[in-house]
Structures are given as C-alpha cells and as structure tokens.
Amino acid sequence: GGLFFAKPMRSKGYVTMLDPFQQLYGKRMGGLLFIPALMGEMFWAAAIFSALGATISVIIDINVNISVIISALIATMYTLVGGVYSVAYTDVVQLFCIFLGLWISVPFAMSHPAVTDIGLTAVHHVYQAPWLGSINSLDIYTWLDNFFLLTLGGIPWQAYFQRVLSSSSATYAQVLSFLAAFGCLVMAIPAVLIGAIGASTAWNQTEYGVPDPKSKKEADMILPIVLQYLCPVYISFFGLGAVSAAVMSSADSSILSASSMFARNIYQLAFRQNASDREIVWVIRITVLLFGASATAMALLASSVYGLWYLSSDLIYIIIFPQLLCVLFIKGTNTYGAIAGYLFGLVLRITGGEPYLYLQPLIFYPGWYQDENNLYIQRFPFKTLAMLTSFFTNVMVSYLAKYLFESGTLPPKLDFLDAVVARYSREHMDKATLVKSDNIVLNELAPVNPRHSLTLSSTFTNKEAFNYVDSSPELSNAEDN
C-alpha cells in the first residue's frame, strides 16, 4: 500500500477511496463499487463484534448479546461524537492496550505448569500434531490464492485509505504505511505465541478438562481460553481489555469508513452536489448510527457473520482491487470496461462456491474435492483467476470501446454511458474554458512569442477598412469636390 497506492491517492487530494472511480468512471460506477466496499466494512464490523461477545462470555460469565450491544454502543457513540479525530486518538490508546494486554499475558501463560516447552511441541508430537504444521503439496495453490487475497485484497479498504488521505502529505502517508507494516508483524507475535501455548498445554491438568479445545472444535476461541485457564484473574482482565480495544479500534474505523463513503460518494456527488459541509457532517452522523446498529444486528442475528465477511472480502479483492489498478495506473480505461470487469469478476467468484456459506460451486476447477461435510472445496486459485480476469476484461473492453467510437465504427449516439465520445468532448471543452481569475498560475501559462516580421503600425491597421473606404463612391465624390 505504501509503495504503490498511498502516494498517488494522497497527492491527488481525494477524500475517499471511491473518488478516483467516480472521477473517471462516473457516479453510477461509483455507486456500484460502493456496494462491495460497504459489504466488506459492515460484515467485518459485525464479525468482530460477534468475536468480542464470544470472548467476553468465556472470560466473564455474561450474556453474549449484552456484551455485543454494550461494546457496539461505546464504539458507535464516540465515533458519532468525534468522527475521524476520535477514531484517530482512540486508536493510539487502543493500540497501546492491545500491545500491553497481549504481551503481559504471554509469560504468565507460558509459565503455567501444564504448558510444555513450545519449541519442543513445534516439531514433535506431544499432545497433538506439531503446531508448526505443514502444507500439503496439493494445497500450495490454495495457500498462494489466500496469500494474494490477504496481501492485495487488504489494500482497497476505506479504513486504510481514510488514514492515508487524512495524512499531512503523501510522503507521510507512505511512511505511515511502512511503519504500520512492521507494527503488524510485532503485534502478530503474541497472537502466534498464545496459539502455540494452547497447542502445548495438557488441558486435563487445568480446570478446562478434557477433551482439549481442538477436539471440542473450540480452537478459534483459544485466546480467551488461554487467558481464562492459564493466567491469573487480573491478567485475564488485561487480556480482555486488549481484545476489546482491538475490536473497538477496528469497528469504529469500519463504521466511519462506510459512513464517509456514503455521505461523499453517494449522497453528495450523486444527489446533492451543492450540499454544505454542515449537511454532510449530519449525514455522516446519521449513517454512523444506522451502520453501527446494522452491524450490531448482524452480529446478534446472523449465524455465520464470518462467512459473510469472508465472501465480501473476496469481492473487494476480485472487484475493487483490479479497478483500483486500472484507475490509478492504466490510462485509457473507461466505464464500459469497468462494468464488464465488475460483472466478470463477480460471476467467477460466486460460481466458484463458498464453503463458509454452504454455497455450492457451479464451476469445478481442477483439483476440487469433497470434504467430510459433503462440501466442495476448490484447490485451484480461482479467486486470483477471477481478479486477473476482472482486470484484463476492464482493460480490453475499455480499449475496444475507445477504438470503436473514435474510429467511427460505432456512432456517437451509442455511447449511452458518456464514457468515450462525450468524455473526449468534455476534456476539450475543459481545456477551452476560460480560466478564472482566482486560479491563474503564472508559471503554468504558455509563453507568447511576438511576430517580429510585422511593424507596429501594420499590426494595428485594418487594411480591409481602408480598401472599403477607397472603393466607396460617396467618399470618392466628396474627395473630388
């Protein structure tokens, strides 16, 4: 993100991630791209609210729904009151809480009598298979597919670009991205260690008992289980604070991201171009409430929020990422290519199936198999294939449409999206428009070379007027008289 995307986005002065799309492809295409972006933000917020509720219910004997509602209310209210400032400043505090809360729990959990040396269990079978694990040669392409999805699909999120676009300069946005990359690595270390501790514990020697969390299919809850059963009570609360801070830090960003995109790219640019700043602020506040309530409702009601987020994050990788590449780095793409790429990517992703949502595939790629739950699993990297298809479709259809209209093969009236003919005319009209007095930059004006071959008198003499006078009979008679 810092190497390739932060600088061009920040230097052009965009307000949201969708601004370059609407500038190049029009407000209709911006509205289409808003849908997967909104789905990603909302399902992510709902998924982490749900995770927080489950974590709190393990450590504290409290109803899951109550914990979800309370945490969602807190995150929504301070986002509502302070906007991006409250998100930025609370993120600093929350980052410190996450770092302290997770790291302080690691030595206590590791020193528990029931825990075996994690270096030994990494490569030897003690209580379960070595926690380092191994990759089946048949699954290499699946791992690569997910690697590219997480790496490249993690870029086109408004939650990231709201930090980039609010930076003081493009250089600072790049530096912030580089620092965040190293920060993510550091923050991942205690999570890895806690997972290793969970795989190295004789759970029959703890109050958790048998069978172990993996056998009970509670491996995804290993963090709160380790905090609850391997750490002192006061350390458990520190860890719970870390999880709560992490959830609120992500949730407030997602809710504000969805609200800002709606207020700017849907409300203002599509419907109310003359809306005042005060009006936009109130739209953001109202949508923060609505989106916060929606995320909370999904966390409480949906049976597989994580599955929904998984699918929506795939859509961001497959649809928005190639569009972002085109709009920033491929000159000549237009709305026709963008729509074709959008549809091709969407169709290929949905027809590939999704086990989390029990969505059976319609296209069976090489290497597919059926698991114990009779779900079809694709080994082929079809997500990356869908992304690349979306990208190349955008480029090819754009240049094809451009050629057909500019060569005269298709009449201008068929350019119903105003993406080629009208855009070309508009660009020339913009160049011909008189500059305003408040935006003239002297060093940008083209120099005017004087015509030295003409004398001053000949320059300001209208020869046609003199010829007209000479040929006028009334004036000739007057001169004779």
Side-chain angles (χ1 to χ4, degrees):
L3 280 173
F4 299 106
F5 296 93
K7 190 171 184 178
M9 290 289 285
R10 177 63 185 86
S11 60
K12 292 178 182 176
Y14 297 128
V15 178
T16 71
M17 179 187 72
L18 296 180
D19 280 1
F21 299 109
Q22 286 193 310
Q23 184 182 28
L24 186 64
Y25 298 147
K27 56 188 179 183
R28 298 187 194 96
M29 194 63 208
L32 279 176
L33 291 170
F34 173 72
I35 296 171
L38 174 68
M39 289 170 60
E41 301 288 0
M42 296 305 300
F43 289 142
W44 170 240
I48 54 180
F49 278 146
S50 179
L52 177 62
T55 303
I56 293 176
S57 67
V58 171
I59 298 177
I60 307 173
D61 189 15
I62 188 174
N63 185 272
V64 175
N65 295 343
I66 294 175
S67 62
V68 169
I69 293 171
I70 292 173
S71 57
L73 274 175
I74 294 171
T76 303
M77 290 312 295
Y78 72 70
T79 305
L80 179 70
V81 173
V84 73
Y85 284 106
S86 67
V87 170
Y89 288 124
T90 53
D91 276 359
V92 175
V93 179
Q94 289 159 348
L95 197 65
F96 177 76
C97 291
I98 297 166
F99 186 80
L100 179 66
L102 288 180
W103 270 112
I104 202 173
S105 62
V106 168
F108 285 95
M110 201 173 284
S111 59
H112 193 279
V115 178
T116 307
D117 180 19
I118 62 172
L120 177 67
T121 57
V123 291
H124 293 93
H125 190 290
V126 181
Y127 305 112
Q128 61 178 58
W131 59 263
L132 271 182
S134 60
I135 300 176
N136 189 338
S137 59
L138 293 173
D139 294 329
I140 288 176
Y141 294 109
T142 304
W143 279 80
L144 286 173
D145 200 19
N146 290 325
F147 171 78
F148 287 121
L149 186 148
L150 290 169
T151 308
L152 304 177
I155 292 172
W157 290 74
Q158 173 63 14
Y160 166 60
F161 281 110
Q162 74 182 5
R163 267 80 171 173
V164 168
L165 299 176
S166 60
S167 301
S168 57
S169 67
T171 303
Y172 185 71
Q174 286 187 297
V175 172
L176 194 69
S177 299
F178 298 146
L179 291 176
F182 289 105
C184 286
L185 288 174
V186 173
M187 301 293 271
I189 294 172
V192 173
L193 292 176
I194 289 171
I197 290 167
S200 310
T201 302
W203 289 102
N204 57 347
Q205 300 176 23
T206 67
E207 293 183 11
Y208 185 85
V210 290
D212 60 88
K214 191 174 180 182
S215 301
K216 291 173 69 173
K217 299 189 181 300
E218 292 182 351
D220 57 340
M221 298 300 296
I222 197 63
L223 170 61
I225 290 172
V226 166
L227 292 175
Q228 173 73 3
Y229 296 100
L230 302 181
C231 296
V233 176
Y234 61 94
I235 297 297
S236 298
F237 282 101
F238 270 106
L240 179 61
V243 177
S244 302
V247 166
M248 290 189 185
S249 176
S250 298
D252 59 13
S253 299
S254 294
I255 293 169
L256 183 64
S257 298
S259 302
S260 59
M261 283 191 295
F262 175 83
R264 163 113 178 134
N265 301 102
I266 304 300
Y267 182 81
Q268 184 181 27
L269 296 182
F271 299 108
R272 288 272 295 169
Q273 288 86 355
N274 297 323
S276 63
D277 291 344
R278 182 179 177 83
E279 184 178 345
I280 296 301
V281 168
W282 275 105
V283 171
I284 290 176
R285 287 174 177 168
I286 292 169
T287 50
V288 162
L289 273 177
L290 292 176
F291 291 153
S294 301
T296 307
M298 281 189 282
L300 296 174
L301 301 175
S303 58
S304 180
V305 175
Y306 184 75
L308 293 173
W309 173 78
Y310 199 81
L311 181 60
S312 60
S313 65
D314 286 7
L315 294 179
I316 288 177
Y317 170 57
I318 291 164
I319 295 174
I320 299 183
F321 177 71
Q323 304 272 4
L324 187 64
L325 282 179
C326 290
V327 82
L328 291 182
F329 304 112
I330 308 295
K331 189 176 181 180
T333 56
N334 53 51
T335 315
Y336 296 105
I339 292 175
Y342 186 109
L343 294 176
F344 268 86
L346 180 64
V347 168
L348 283 178
R349 175 60 189 94
I350 293 177
T351 54
E354 180 49 61
Y356 277 108
L357 298 177
Y358 299 96
L359 183 65
Q360 299 288 32
L362 297 177
I363 299 176
F364 292 89
Y365 295 93
W368 64 272
Y369 68 96
Q370 202 169 6
D371 65 2
E372 62 274 7
N373 297 319
N374 294 323
L375 296 174
Y376 293 96
I377 310 298
Q378 307 268 22
R379 284 197 175 103
F380 188 83
F382 73 98
K383 299 170 188 175
T384 301
L385 174 68
M387 185 274 291
L388 292 173
T389 303
S390 177
F391 173 74
F392 287 113
T393 301
N394 189 341
V395 175
M396 289 189 293
V397 172
S398 293
Y399 278 92
L400 178 62
K402 191 172 184 292
Y403 169 77
L404 291 175
F405 283 113
E406 290 183 355
S407 65
T409 306
L410 292 178
K413 63 181 180 180
L414 292 181
D415 185 15
F416 62 96
L417 292 178
D418 297 336
V420 180
V421 179
R423 180 176 180 80
Y424 185 74
S425 303
R426 192 162 54 247
E427 287 175 354
H428 279 266
M429 183 63 71
D430 290 342
K431 292 176 183 177
T433 302
L434 293 175
V435 293
K436 297 179 181 178
S437 59
D438 59 350
N439 66 0
I440 295 177
V441 182
L442 294 178
N443 59 6
E444 292 181 357
L445 296 177
V448 179
N449 297 320
R451 298 176 62 186
H452 298 292
S453 61
L454 297 175
T455 62
L456 185 64
S457 60
S458 64
T459 303
F460 291 99
T461 301
N462 190 338
K463 294 182 179 180
E464 292 181 0
F466 281 120
N467 292 335
Y468 175 78
V469 169
D470 289 341
S471 61
S472 174
E474 290 84 358
L475 289 177
S476 299
N477 293 333
E479 287 177 359
D480 293 340
N481 293 332

